[in-house]
Amino acid sequence: MTLISLRHFAKITLLFVFNFLATFLLSTLAQETPKVPKTAVQEYKNIQALKEIPADQLIPTMQFIGGALGVDCEFCHVEHAMDKDDKREKLTARK
């Protein structure tokens, strides 16, 4: 190999290594760490039961319970104030 071709080979090799490292680092940084979903107690007020379920599962769970009992939300909850404990049925359900 001549001196020019060695320099050319070295440049290509360095560019390849740099490109590989840059691609690896950028792809590693671009990966998001998995987010831990909020629990119901972290997202909603006055949660005393079902505290540890994911917050996005609370409403479907409550809808399932209401459907199984054949009642709507207002049977246990004060309308537009779900966190209040004013109804006897809500207190009974927590026992």
Side-chain angles (χ1 to χ4, degrees):
M1 284 191 170
T2 65
L3 185 59
I4 293 174
S5 62
L6 284 176
R7 285 184 181 165
H8 185 67
F9 178 76
K11 286 180 182 179
I12 291 173
T13 304
L14 283 174
L15 285 173
F16 175 77
V17 170
F18 177 76
N19 187 25
F20 175 78
L21 290 175
T23 302
F24 176 75
L25 289 174
L26 289 175
S27 68
T28 303
L29 293 173
Q31 294 175 354
E32 290 186 27
T33 57
K35 294 181 181 178
V36 177
K38 286 185 176 182
T39 61
V41 76
Q42 292 171 324
E43 186 76 19
Y44 296 99
K45 296 178 185 175
N46 197 16
I47 300 292
Q48 296 180 22
L50 305 172
K51 291 180 181 185
E52 298 303 319
I53 68 169
D56 63 347
Q57 293 296 313
L58 181 67
I59 301 302
T61 301
M62 296 302 293
Q63 290 170 336
F64 177 81
I65 293 168
L69 295 173
V71 297
D72 59 2
C73 300
E74 285 75 27
F75 182 79
C76 295
H77 296 278
V78 176
E79 190 171 4
H80 304 294
M82 299 292 195
D83 57 322
K84 290 188 177 180
D85 290 334
D86 293 351
K87 291 198 171 185
R88 181 175 45 91
E89 293 82 0
K90 184 175 184 180
L91 301 174
T92 300
R94 287 182 173 160
K95 292 181 181 182

